[in-house]
Amino acid sequence: MKYLNIGISVLFACLLFGQVQTHLPFQLCQLEHTNLFLGDWDAFLASLQQMGGAVKWLGTYGIQFFDRPIIGGIIFLLPVMGLFATTACVLRRRTKSHWLWVPLAAWLAVAQLLSLYDFNFYWWGALALCLAMGVLWFWSLLKPSLTRNILFAFSIPFIAWLLGAVVLVYVLAGICLFVDKKSWKLAWLVPVTLYIVSVAFFYVGNRCPSLMVAVSPMMYFEPLLDISYYHLVTWVMTVLVWGGCRWLPMAQKKVWVWCICIVSWILPAGVLLQYGGTFRNQSNIDLWRLNHYAYTENWDGILQFLAGKPMSNYLYMNYANMALAQQGKLGDWAFSYSPKGMNALLIEANSTGSIRMLASDVNYTVGCVAEAQQHAFEAQVTFPTSLGIQTLKRLVKTNLIFGHYAVAEKYLNLIAKTTFHREWAEQYRAFLYNDAAVDADAELGEKRRCLSKQDRFAMFYGWLPELEDILEANPKNEKAMTYLGLSYLLSKDMAGFGRFIDKYYGTEALPKLPVAFQQGIIALYQQEKDKWENYNLSPQVVSQYNQYRDLYFKNQRQPNLKNVMARSFRYTFWYYLMFV
């Protein structure tokens, strides 16, 4: 029985790790991007001023490893497996059948992992529960009951201070675990009194937001959102398993022991495999994957991921078009990812941090620096309890571009306090108060040359005037040129596209027309083929149009004309113009 449980425990740990590595790698990356760890002494002392601040500081330290392959998943699972291990040890020591009920610990691990599937449930909430139960397990090893009960009781204020609201589980589980007929007063009355006094102290002293936060999992949940009652399940199960372990029955027949043990392992594993997907938000996971690729400038990764996805929303279209623009392919491949309207180029931002960051990325790509800065700042505002490294890096760059060196220095000072980004901060310190260095930099200098001569703080007059201002400031900006021309094509404004071509064709940014613009020229001058020669259209594009026209006229009376045309010409502007 002993070796069976140990072997299955190892397999169970591998199962949990496999689930995390398969389904959550980009959720872990998003957690790292939005939780900046400040490793200086002042940040640590500030954390000690709040109830549960120490475990938050420690948790943020662990989160900075989440974007590391393999290591991130292992660290993410540490509090889950820590809770599992301490519970298994208590069940082995405190039950009559020492190894029979050990699999009950798997239920706690599964419940905790499903809570962590919720992006808005903080990882340090699981860490707090693991540490609290670890302390309780340590007290359970002590033989003199009086010493054990005294240490348990007088550790309650410290658990409340360092670990936060999870002290409630610590108190209830400890009372059930340690109470007996001889010492029931010390094991019940004193701990409850110390718990009430501790919570009251932190609440009255404004060291926690509210009384409800001080006594519930709300302390470990995004404060602006409504918490699901499910996050209470792990707490309740922990109290029941730890507190009730001494009364678990002992199986008499060996066959029943083996059956109960095996079934007890299979059930929680089955629940995780069967219902784990209902606790994950796959659409958000896809968005976090794309955001991570954009942050790391993995443009091939974006396009490869979206190649197998139906382009059913503007998020996908924005990322695809931005990746193509970064690779210099957008003008030729503009319709390869089935865009729909101008929002396929620039999504309408909302209050979601990830959407704000996407809007910032797109604007930064084309050179709308002011708008990129505004959206990055708004994205940071959506993280009320933390700083985001992705947003801070964008704000450093935009303020360097504007020459707002004091503001950039403030952000760099924060980044310099981190473990893994301090070298980046030192690299960008070289640009502080050094216009010549900024102008000479390939990225920052190019963006600075795109600054509107109107000196606008944000995009007041709309997308098209902003792009025109950028091109006026920097006629060599091919990305802005491509986005501007496609804006006319995607809105089917052929008159506007004609004016665009007349103004910019032959300039530094548009010396020759990309494929999408050539298709637009043919659509614009269908009845004036003599004008095609003025734009140096490629024979391949002209031949493709002739095939399109022949197929259209051949099947124009067919009820399924759209499907017929889509088979060969779905990714052309002509198809988009007529059927989308």
Side-chain angles (χ1 to χ4, degrees):
M1 180 63 66
K2 172 182 177 181
Y3 296 109
L4 174 67
N5 278 290
I6 292 175
I8 296 180
S9 296
V10 173
L11 294 177
F12 180 70
C14 293
L15 171 65
L16 299 189
F17 180 73
Q19 291 293 297
V20 170
Q21 287 297 103
T22 303
H23 301 295
L24 302 183
F26 295 100
Q27 180 170 326
L28 300 189
C29 290
Q30 185 70 10
L31 286 169
E32 190 276 336
H33 299 340
T34 57
N35 290 275
L36 189 70
F37 172 74
L38 301 179
D40 63 319
W41 188 248
D42 291 337
F44 175 70
L45 292 178
S47 70
L48 297 180
Q49 302 299 313
Q50 298 297 317
M51 181 181 181
V55 75
K56 178 182 177 181
W57 184 88
L58 182 61
T60 310
Y61 173 79
I63 288 174
Q64 68 180 327
F65 296 93
F66 278 8
D67 66 335
R68 269 54 181 176
I70 308 298
I71 296 176
I74 293 173
I75 294 177
F76 178 77
L77 274 177
L78 281 181
V80 176
M81 295 312 300
L83 178 63
F84 168 81
T86 53
T87 303
C89 289
V90 167
L91 287 169
R92 189 185 68 83
R93 287 176 56 87
R94 307 284 292 190
T95 57
K96 298 175 182 179
S97 296
H98 296 305
W99 288 97
L100 173 61
W101 300 107
V102 167
L104 286 178
W107 284 104
L108 272 64
V110 168
Q112 187 66 282
L113 181 58
L114 294 180
S115 278
L116 290 173
Y117 276 6
D118 187 343
F119 181 80
N120 297 303
F121 184 78
Y122 299 142
W123 180 72
W124 54 83
L127 183 62
L129 182 60
C130 171
L131 293 175
M133 295 300 101
V135 173
L136 199 60
W137 168 72
F138 180 76
W139 299 148
S140 72
L141 298 178
L142 301 179
K143 293 297 183 181
S145 60
L146 180 61
T147 303
R148 179 189 64 201
N149 290 344
I150 291 175
L151 290 173
F152 161 65
F154 287 96
S155 65
I156 290 172
F158 295 97
I159 296 295
W161 174 38
L162 299 175
L163 303 183
V166 77
V167 66
L168 176 61
V169 180
Y170 179 79
V171 171
L172 295 177
I175 291 174
C176 296
L177 195 63
F178 300 144
V179 69
D180 54 45
K181 295 180 179 179
K182 295 181 180 179
S183 60
W184 70 271
K185 292 183 179 179
L186 182 62
W188 179 82
L189 187 58
V190 175
V192 169
T193 302
L194 286 173
Y195 170 73
I196 294 173
V197 171
S198 299
V199 171
F201 171 79
F202 289 113
Y203 174 64
V204 173
N206 293 321
R207 298 179 185 274
C208 63
S210 68
L211 185 60
M212 183 60 69
V213 169
V215 299
S216 74
M218 289 176 63
M219 176 168 284
Y220 313 107
F221 197 79
E222 182 68 46
L224 301 180
L225 302 175
D226 294 330
I227 187 172
S228 170
Y229 289 113
Y230 170 76
H231 295 294
L232 281 169
V233 170
T234 309
W235 284 24
V236 173
M237 289 177 64
T238 301
V239 172
L240 292 177
V241 172
W242 282 62
C245 62
R246 69 171 69 178
W247 293 290
L248 289 173
M250 180 171 59
Q252 301 298 324
K253 296 183 179 181
K254 190 173 182 179
V255 64
W256 283 109
V257 172
W258 285 87
C259 290
I260 293 174
C261 182
I262 293 173
V263 170
S264 298
W265 278 112
I266 292 175
L267 286 178
V271 168
L272 177 64
L273 294 173
Q274 181 67 28
Y275 299 105
T278 62
F279 291 85
R280 297 189 303 269
N281 190 322
Q282 189 58 47
S283 61
N284 281 345
I285 291 175
D286 290 345
L287 175 58
W288 296 328
R289 176 197 289 258
L290 293 169
N291 178 64
H292 178 68
Y293 286 158
Y295 172 60
T296 56
E297 299 184 358
N298 183 1
W299 311 119
D300 285 331
I302 290 177
L303 297 176
Q304 290 171 8
F305 174 71
L306 293 178
K309 290 281 186 180
M311 301 300 287
S312 56
N313 61 67
Y314 289 123
L315 296 175
Y316 290 172
M317 298 175 194
N318 272 240
Y319 276 111
N321 290 323
M322 179 174 62
L324 290 171
Q326 292 287 0
Q327 295 183 334
K329 301 176 180 178
L330 180 57
D332 292 327
W333 294 18
F335 294 92
S336 299
Y337 287 84
S338 305
K340 295 181 178 67
M342 285 180 60
N343 284 343
L345 297 175
L346 179 63
I347 195 169
E348 292 185 6
N350 56 26
S351 59
T352 306
S354 297
I355 306 301
R356 285 284 187 182
M357 202 61 222
L358 170 57
S360 177
D361 288 341
V362 173
N363 279 286
Y364 190 77
T365 295
V366 300
C368 293
V369 181
E371 194 71 4
Q373 177 172 275
Q374 179 189 354
H375 285 298
F377 187 83
E378 294 292 341
Q380 177 56 63
V381 171
T382 63
F383 313 141
T385 61
S386 61
L387 297 170
I389 186 61
Q390 186 178 11
T391 53
L392 289 186
K393 284 185 176 181
R394 174 59 47 77
L395 292 171
V396 166
K397 291 182 178 181
T398 56
N399 280 286
L400 288 174
I401 292 166
F402 280 120
H404 300 161
Y405 296 120
V407 180
E409 187 174 21
K410 178 184 69 174
Y411 294 131
L412 284 172
N413 289 339
L414 290 173
I415 297 174
K417 297 176 182 179
T418 65
T419 303
F420 296 117
H421 304 286
R422 62 181 59 176
E423 292 183 3
W424 187 95
E426 291 305 315
Q427 175 188 348
Y428 276 82
R429 280 190 187 278
F431 297 108
L432 290 175
Y433 309 102
N434 191 340
D435 287 336
V438 173
D439 292 337
D441 184 73
E443 178 184 347
L444 301 180
E446 193 270 337
K447 300 301 181 187
R448 176 173 280 189
R449 289 187 287 274
C450 294
L451 294 180
S452 171
K453 296 180 180 180
Q454 308 300 324
D455 193 24
R456 293 173 185 156
F457 183 70
M459 190 187 297
F460 293 117
Y461 300 103
W463 177 241
L464 299 184
E466 189 73 18
L467 292 174
E468 290 175 349
D469 283 350
I470 291 171
L471 289 172
E472 181 182 353
N474 182 12
K476 296 182 180 181
N477 190 330
E478 295 182 6
K479 296 184 182 72
M481 183 71 72
T482 305
Y483 267 80
L484 179 59
L486 287 177
S487 296
Y488 289 113
L489 292 180
L490 291 176
S491 60
K492 301 183 180 180
D493 181 2
M494 299 310 297
F497 178 71
R499 293 191 298 270
F500 162 80
I501 291 295
D502 292 341
K503 182 176 181 179
Y504 294 107
Y505 177 57
T507 63
E508 293 176 282
L510 196 61
K512 62 179 182 179
L513 299 180
V515 171
F517 290 2
Q518 292 184 44
Q519 294 175 355
I521 289 293
I522 292 177
L524 181 64
Y525 298 116
Q526 293 183 60
Q527 308 304 323
E528 303 174 77
K529 294 186 178 181
D530 55 310
K531 291 188 177 182
W532 294 3
E533 299 179 359
N534 299 332
Y535 300 100
N536 195 25
L537 304 185
S538 71
Q540 293 83 0
V541 173
V542 175
S543 174
Q544 186 182 33
Y545 173 70
N546 291 331
Q547 296 173 26
Y548 177 90
R549 183 191 58 191
D550 292 344
L551 184 63
Y552 175 81
F553 285 118
K554 180 179 179 180
N555 297 278
Q556 61 180 333
R557 298 184 183 278
Q558 298 294 329
N560 62 338
L561 175 62
K562 180 177 179 179
N563 293 333
V564 171
M565 301 301 294
R567 293 189 192 112
S568 302
F569 301 100
R570 178 186 301 275
Y571 304 120
T572 65
F573 173 66
W574 310 307
Y575 177 84
Y576 175 87
L577 183 64
M578 296 189 68
F579 299 106
V580 176

